[in-house]
Amino acid sequence: MYGIPRSHEEAPAAVAHSAAAEGTVARIERLAVHDGPGIRTVVFLKGCPLRCSWCSSPETQRSEPELLLDRSRCLLCGACLTACPAGAIGRTENGEIQTDRSLCDGCGQCALTCPSGARRVVGQTVTAAQVLSEIEKDEVFYYRSGGGVTISGGEPLEQPAFTLDIAAACAARGIHTAMETSACAPWDRLDPLLDFLDLVFVDVKHMDEAAHRKATGTGNRIILENVRKLAKDRRKREVILRVPVIPGINDTEKNMEATADFARDLAAVKRLELLPYHRYGIHRYEQTGRSCGTEAVMVPTEAKLQRLASIVRTRGIPVQIGG
Amino acid sequence: MKAEANVIEMPASAGGFLWRIQKAKERVLKTRPAMDLENAVLLTRSFAQTEGEPLVIQKAKAFAEQCRKKTVTIWEDELIVGCSGKKIRGGLLSADVCWAILDQELDTIANRPYDPFQVSEEERTLFLSEIKPYWKGRSNYEKFLKQTPPEAAVLKETGIIYIDRKAVRGPGELTAGYDWVLQAGINGIRETISERRSRLDPTDPEDHRKIQYLKALRIVADGIVALADRYAAEARRQAKQEKDPRRKEELETIAAICERVPAQPARTFHEALQSMYLYHICLIMEQNAASYNPGRMDQYLYPYFQKDLDSGVLTVERAQELLDCLWVKFSEPCLFQDAKTAEVAAGYNMFQNACCGGITETGEDAVNPISYMMLQATMDVQLNQPSLSVRYNPGKNPNAFLKKIVECISLGTGFPAFHSDDVGIKMLLNKGVTLREANNWNPCGCVETNLMGKSKEYTAFADVNLAGIVELAMCDGVHRMSGRRVAPSTGTPASFETFEAFKEAVKAQLRFVVEKVVEANHVLDEVSDERPVPAASLTFAECIEKGSDYSWGGAKYNSGNGVIFDCVADFINSLSAVKHLIYETGQLSWDHLSAALEKDFEGSEEVRQLCLAAPKFGNDDARADDLAAEMLWFAAEEVHRYRSRHGRMNCGMLPVTAHVAMGKTVGALPSGRRAWTTLTDGISPSGGTDVEGPTAVLRSVSRIPHTMYTSGTLLNMKLDPELFHEDRGVANMMAFLKALCDLGIYHVQFNVQSAETLLAAQENPEAYRHLLVRVAGYTAYFVELGKDVQDEIIGRTVQFQQR
């Protein structure tokens, strides 16, 4: 709920907090309705330790600013050619503009001169206070809907001081604050945040260590360990586990059973959410000059989702399909 | 009028009566609009016979003649009867007001692009042989055209202003005293007239005039009762011939009801509905116009409903059926107006604004079962009339009412128009109305403000094209398209050393245009003295007390007419682009920009892209929104400086479709909009420019001083159906609307995103850059997605529409 009263001991410095930490934000989305209760503003931070092949926002993976290129908007005017200090942009014989990403450091000079918005830079370095001023814009909507702020990514724990500053400042304003995380970080990054968070979403992508490593580039031991700690934490924050359902990668009944068994032992887990794979982020791969690992993967069927959901439900854990 | 128990058990909308509604709907939908000149001929013949009598008596007698002689029809299986003309979707011509507009279009009206009307050979002959010869040179419209000040006429010709709307048909825009008709009956009102007459002295010159006027009111009152008697007789006649016992009984009931009301006070819910509708058609018959508003129907109908329910003569389902029948009736009349006005306000729309919700006179929750049933009627009937509005008061109205509103919105018909009650009340206070009366306000026409039986104002007299005003400021007072000098010289761009200097030029042009509109307004007020409306005035109590017609200022509250500012976002975005590109970042020079605009960006696409990328209204971006706040305060105060015979001039922002017509006369703009294309409606952001989502739109729109625009401010929004998905979607929509009230925004109307929109976006991505699609957990700009993914979303939307 909006304005959950926190005791003074819990957040001693919050009111006077300067929110001075700097961080890199990929984008801020308003009127988000699927990442926590009510109408929310979601702050997507840049940088993630995982490399999930199905990632729907690959532009948030690297921590540095990077160039997004939408060729359909390009006027071929050539303003970017002279703007690029790294000499990464050239024109081919048939007049096309080519960008050598190995030379590009994401400085954004080309985007500043691009008249059509074909070139954009994802990743802006800002202070937590600047993020707050964006967040405050929709306060009236949070208040009316029981909504608030969700810090997401990328991975918020990759920028712990920045995330802490944002969360603390939100808490000081009585704004309901959630974080969406892979929990793939040392516990001492998560721990201080729990003073200020009302709700934590943790992605559990696979229960099998080897399979997790294969799909995301990283093992799951630290993730599961963090979830257990989170569930036992004295501050009793609400926890929701999220399982992306990616056909051919983690959608077996066996994995769902293991996930549900894991969740059943953790009383703080409020529910489990199955997030069906979708293809709405595929265009981002081309725009960031990456190749998409799940181009050929189709979305899971409704029947499949229902079957997986029932596995969770029979273990007495509330489950919902979609965020 | 507050109900004891707030939420009632509603019948399933698949109620047993929907066949009747369906049948009536088909009757409306299958009929092509046609001119209906019977009334005009009756009026003309009556005027010819009463020459020499006072104008208002002539008018009253002509009206009564229509009541006694017009064709009276009862359509198959209908329960609420009455038609303002002879035809079900007839275009009525107010010959005394504006015969000439049909004359100009006699050969083209059947095929004109906006709102065509068929004309039969017989009627054509009647028009040319009887109507035209009698009225030539005598109509209000001809007088208004002749007397329009030349500078205003030039501004009109060049599309900077539009001022004919109130002269090409009746002014409408009133909410008659339906409650008084229901409670007192026409007989009761006749007694009030007699009582008033008894206090007048025929030897006093002032009183003498009043006595004449009261005589006219008596004549129209008699006419109304005579018309009801004729419907009763027709029902009896049909009943006698009817074989089906069910219908026979229905017809006998109709006959009994029309024998009683509106002459006597209504006793039952059915009588109340019939009484109000019979009086309602009389208003349209007296003067063809849009915006005769039924007003707060839940308030004046509720007592009859509850009484019938308590005594067991009515069920909720039957009440809903009767209300639905009335709802279809509101879609029968078709607005006839000239081709130009039809382009500015297209769709035959009569703008009969019915309202529910809000608070009572004394500030209590006014929601009652009829409030819900009105929303249900719109959901059952799904026609474009009545224009259903809600007054929503977040502190006082129950959540269940808001939930019902959201259910209705989610059907995607655009209804109801949602109004923040508090802002409406403040608008009335800003017109000098007492708080108790302001609490009783009702929306009028589109989004204007009215007081039932008490207020007079032509709420949308003139349209001012704000985009055209920016253009004048950039072209030193010369109209770009025609090359004509239409306004004073305010300096060439080269002379604007600072942005402030340019802004002053814009203000100077605006000041000039408003001044000319005000001059034209005074002409309209004078001319309007010659079109009294005794049938409408009959239920304005002060008209009887003062012995003065509504159109002469007889109502309790009179205001100056409304000046409507159109193309708001184009105006703000143009100022914002000039400020940003020329004076702040220096990305463009005036020479560069002017040259590109002159050639409609031909050969300078990069200039257009820079213009498009400049800060835009609707993104919660102070760089644009600060200008909106400043300039729209300025515009409102500029209008408020002037007085008319009827009070302070007023303003609003509701274009209907004027922004489309005006676009054809405005060249390329610094906003990045191309020449001669459509401009932006109401106070909405320009299509494709609001990329920060709906909450940002509301925040920008909240910078407009709504309460200064007492003729209302109109916001249209398109929503992704996904937002309504599931219970939580409904809850979020409810929160969104409450937040809108918190922000002090007056009105919003929603269209739910259709598959057609998405297909259009696929074709023309640039115009739809703002289009957000939502999938659980993910939001994307539609135009950025690949074709296959787009197709998938289109498929999902089609599924929603078929639900």
Side-chain angles (χ1 to χ4, degrees), chain A residues 13-172:
Chain A
V15 176
H17 210 281
S18 67
E22 282 199 343
T24 310
V25 173
R27 71 193 158 96
I28 294 179
E29 182 176 318
R30 296 163 68 172
L31 189 60
V33 294
H34 292 111
D35 294 307
I39 293 174
R40 310 187 74 80
T41 294
V42 181
V43 183
F44 293 95
L45 304 191
K46 208 159 147 41
C48 182
L50 306 185
R51 288 294 178 268
C52 307
S53 56
W54 61 85
C55 181
S56 66
S57 48
E59 75 280 9
T60 63
Q61 290 177 353
R62 285 168 46 195
S63 42
E64 312 78 48
E66 64 185 295
L67 179 67
L68 221 62
L69 196 51
D70 182 351
R71 281 178 219 286
S72 69
R73 287 190 176 198
C74 180
L75 305 171
L76 303 174
C77 71
C80 51
L81 295 172
T82 47
C84 179
I89 309 174
R91 204 191 272 275
T92 64
E93 279 170 19
N94 50 17
E96 278 176 23
I97 309 270
Q98 265 192 344
T99 307
D100 182 348
R101 283 189 181 266
S102 68
L103 297 176
C104 173
D105 64 358
C107 75
Q109 288 302 313
C110 60
L112 282 178
T113 56
C114 177
S116 69
R119 290 171 174 270
R120 271 179 292 165
V121 166
V122 180
Q124 238 192 323
T125 304
V126 292
T127 63
Q130 285 173 295
V131 175
L132 250 291
S133 68
E134 279 304 300
I135 287 171
E136 283 178 328
K137 286 180 169 179
D138 276 354
E139 274 185 334
V140 63
F141 299 93
Y142 314 148
Y143 167 69
R144 284 300 191 176
S145 66
V149 168
T150 301
I151 309 171
S152 180
E155 172 51 62
L157 299 179
E158 289 287 285
Q159 303 186 49
F162 186 50
T163 301
L164 187 73
D165 261 13
I166 296 171
C170 287

Side-chain angles (χ1 to χ4, degrees), chain B residues 397-411:
Chain B
N397 293 155
N399 248 8
F401 180 57
L402 184 57
K403 185 154 184 272
K404 184 82 182 171
I405 292 167
V406 171
E407 270 175 43
C408 189
I409 288 171
S410 71
L411 290 183

Side-chain angles (χ1 to χ4, degrees), chain A residues 176-191:
Chain A
H176 180 275
T177 310
M179 178 172 74
E180 195 182 14
T181 176
S182 69
C184 185
W187 174 254
D188 65 7
R189 291 192 187 175
L190 194 51
D191 181 58

Side-chain angles (χ1 to χ4, degrees), chain B residues 477-547:
Chain B
V478 174
H479 181 239
R480 193 191 291 283
M481 186 166 88
S482 63
R484 290 168 77 178
R485 165 160 300 283
V486 300
S489 167
T490 48
T492 60
S495 70
F496 304 139
E497 295 208 352
T498 59
F499 176 68
E500 290 301 310
F502 173 60
K503 204 167 64 187
E504 284 312 309
V506 174
K507 286 182 177 176
Q509 293 295 349
L510 184 64
R511 198 175 287 129
F512 170 76
V513 170
V514 168
E515 196 182 296
K516 295 304 142 193
V517 164
V518 170
E519 288 174 18
N521 173 76
H522 299 337
V523 173
L524 182 81
D525 280 346
E526 291 298 314
V527 168
S528 294
D529 278 351
E530 292 173 23
R531 54 170 166 189
V533 282
S537 305
L538 190 65
T539 57
F540 283 75
E542 279 75 11
C543 287
I544 297 176
E545 184 54 36
K546 295 186 206 165

